[in-house]
Amino acid sequence: MSSIQNNPENTPHILVLGMGGTIAGLAASPNERPLDYRAGQVEVSSLLAHVKSAIPAGIELVSRQVANINSRNLTDPLLGLLGRVVREALANTLVKGIVVTHGTDTLEETGIFLQIIGGKYAQNLGKRVILTAAMLPSNAPKADGPSNLLDAIRWASTPLENCPGGIFAVMDGRACMAMDLAKRHSTALNAPIQDSPSSSVGLINPTWLSGVKAVQELWTEDWPIPQDQEWPWVEILTSHAGARPETINQWQSSGVKGLVLAGSGIGGFHDAWKDSLLGLAKQGVALVRTSRTGGGQTYPDLPEKDLAGCLASGGLSAPRARIALQLALNAEKQAHIIGKSLTWQDFFARIAVLPVIG
């Protein structure tokens, strides 16, 4: 029989980290109003206890509560804490894999973050970090959390010859690279994963694996985690009909370090913004251009030539581009400290140009 340990033991195990979210939520009237609930109410140890009988024999589990929040309230310092916990766990020879239970609202931010700060490390060690979540609270009649959690545990413990190490996500019987997560539906049970370019029908298939390996070959270096007070300030602005230059001008003396521009179509922004954005770029504010559509690619110099210093986001959605830009700005700062003349553009381009699977 498998076992669940609340205190680490000197035995090989899968580490399950709880971050809260709907998977740990409770509805006051689950039968009548399952979507009227409070997220982050149930401890991860209790989530595991409810699925204990279905966990495959021989798998030892250790649980740790990192946070128990509604993921819409995720903060930069909390992301940093999770990243440090994951890195520390990967370095532990007794930890054979990691599962993270998380809220769906910001799952895509956490997915790209863990890839950037630990994707290569996990790959080199041959260990998997599996993000999972739920769209229904834990006490809903058809709660999807238990099956997602079981799938994540099974995949975290799958032999290495069947799938490489790395940062992945599992929901509703599907898997994807965690860096491709994007919640594009408010209620669908596979919302964060349904339109992922690296989504696999079934947890593992050969065509999908070849695409994953192609991406992993190009991811050569993890980036540092910012200290709590050193996360660069980056905001997302959405272009729309009737956009005004004042939307951009108000940031001139704010101290903001970067802006992600969620443009219309293939990433174009309103002409009313152009002069103001040029002024911000001259001040050293980093600019990244993406699309507000939520899918597809944002290409360099389309629909017109990019402003000097502005980069296209490739396949990154606005929330993921924001995390990538924060970490790129921090990586630039750390590189300069040790005498390397790398820019945030050098770092950001590494993830914006990764191939699309499928």
Side-chain angles (χ1 to χ4, degrees):
M1 288 290 293
S2 59
S3 65
I4 301 169
Q5 308 163 36
N6 288 321
N7 296 308
E9 302 286 343
N10 294 323
T11 56
H13 58 268
I14 301 296
L15 178 63
V16 184
L17 302 174
M19 290 291 290
T22 301
I23 194 170
L26 290 174
S29 302
N31 292 308
E32 292 79 23
R33 303 182 67 190
L35 295 181
D36 182 10
Y37 64 90
R38 293 184 62 191
Q41 301 298 301
V42 181
E43 295 287 311
V44 67
S45 57
S46 296
L47 297 180
L48 289 173
H50 281 98
V51 299
K52 180 178 180 180
S53 61
I55 295 171
I59 296 178
E60 301 288 340
L61 300 176
V62 173
S63 66
R64 176 176 173 183
Q65 198 76 45
V66 179
N68 210 355
I69 63 167
N70 186 319
S71 76
R72 70 187 182 202
N73 296 320
L74 186 64
T75 63
D76 295 338
L78 192 50
L79 261 184
L81 172 61
L82 176 62
R84 289 186 288 273
V85 170
V86 166
R87 276 185 173 176
E88 179 184 330
L90 286 170
N92 186 342
T93 58
L94 294 177
V95 175
K96 299 306 178 184
I98 302 168
V99 171
V100 181
T101 61
H102 198 287
T104 59
D105 282 3
T106 53
L107 193 63
E108 62 186 290
E109 281 102 318
T110 297
I112 192 76
F113 169 73
L114 290 179
Q115 171 65 36
I116 291 175
I117 63 91
K120 190 64 178 179
Y121 193 36
Q123 182 186 344
N124 287 345
L125 292 171
K127 298 182 180 181
R128 290 182 213 96
V129 180
I130 311 295
L131 286 164
T132 195
M135 292 295 291
L136 294 171
S138 63
N139 61 342
K142 296 182 179 180
D144 54 326
S147 62
N148 290 340
L149 181 54
L150 285 170
D151 279 344
I153 291 169
R154 292 187 185 106
W155 202 19
S157 56
T158 295
L160 187 60
E161 57 266 24
N162 294 332
C163 182
I167 317 294
F168 301 95
V170 170
M171 278 191 75
D172 196 38
R174 290 175 175 260
C176 74
M177 296 190 73
M179 62 179 285
D180 286 334
L181 287 166
K183 187 175 181 179
R184 298 193 180 105
H185 196 284
S186 60
T187 58
L189 295 185
N190 62 352
I193 209 170
Q194 64 174 349
D195 294 322
S196 165
S198 66
S199 177
S200 166
V201 179
L203 297 186
I204 298 173
N205 68 65
T207 302
W208 177 77
L209 282 179
S210 65
V212 168
K213 291 176 180 177
V215 172
Q216 289 185 335
E217 286 176 2
L218 295 177
W219 187 253
T220 59
E221 180 186 23
D222 295 331
W223 305 351
I225 301 173
Q227 297 299 313
D228 286 357
Q229 303 306 315
E230 294 183 355
W231 281 79
W233 182 12
V234 176
E235 293 288 342
I236 299 172
L237 303 181
T238 301
S239 183
H240 52 81
R244 300 181 180 187
E246 290 85 352
T247 301
I248 308 301
N249 294 337
Q250 66 180 335
W251 296 99
Q252 289 179 350
S253 58
S254 66
V256 74
K257 300 301 181 184
L259 293 175
V260 173
L261 310 172
S264 54
I266 56 175
F269 52 80
H270 203 290
D271 284 350
W273 282 8
K274 185 173 181 179
D275 290 342
S276 298
L277 287 172
L278 281 169
L280 283 181
K282 289 178 181 178
Q283 291 180 18
V285 177
L287 302 177
V288 166
R289 183 174 55 80
T290 185
S291 171
R292 72 182 193 184
T293 62
Q297 295 279 307
T298 303
Y299 300 101
D301 297 325
L302 289 174
E304 58 263 331
K305 186 173 178 59
D306 285 324
L307 302 176
C310 181
L311 292 188
S313 68
L316 298 179
S317 63
R320 286 178 285 153
R322 176 183 169 273
I323 295 293
L325 180 53
Q326 285 184 295
L327 295 176
L329 287 165
N330 178 67
E332 175 189 66
K333 178 180 177 181
Q334 301 307 316
H336 289 175
I337 289 174
I338 61 176
K340 292 185 177 181
S341 57
L342 295 171
T343 66
W344 70 265
Q345 291 97 330
D346 294 323
F347 287 101
F348 189 89
R350 296 178 187 179
I351 195 163
V353 300
L354 291 175
V356 175
I357 298 174

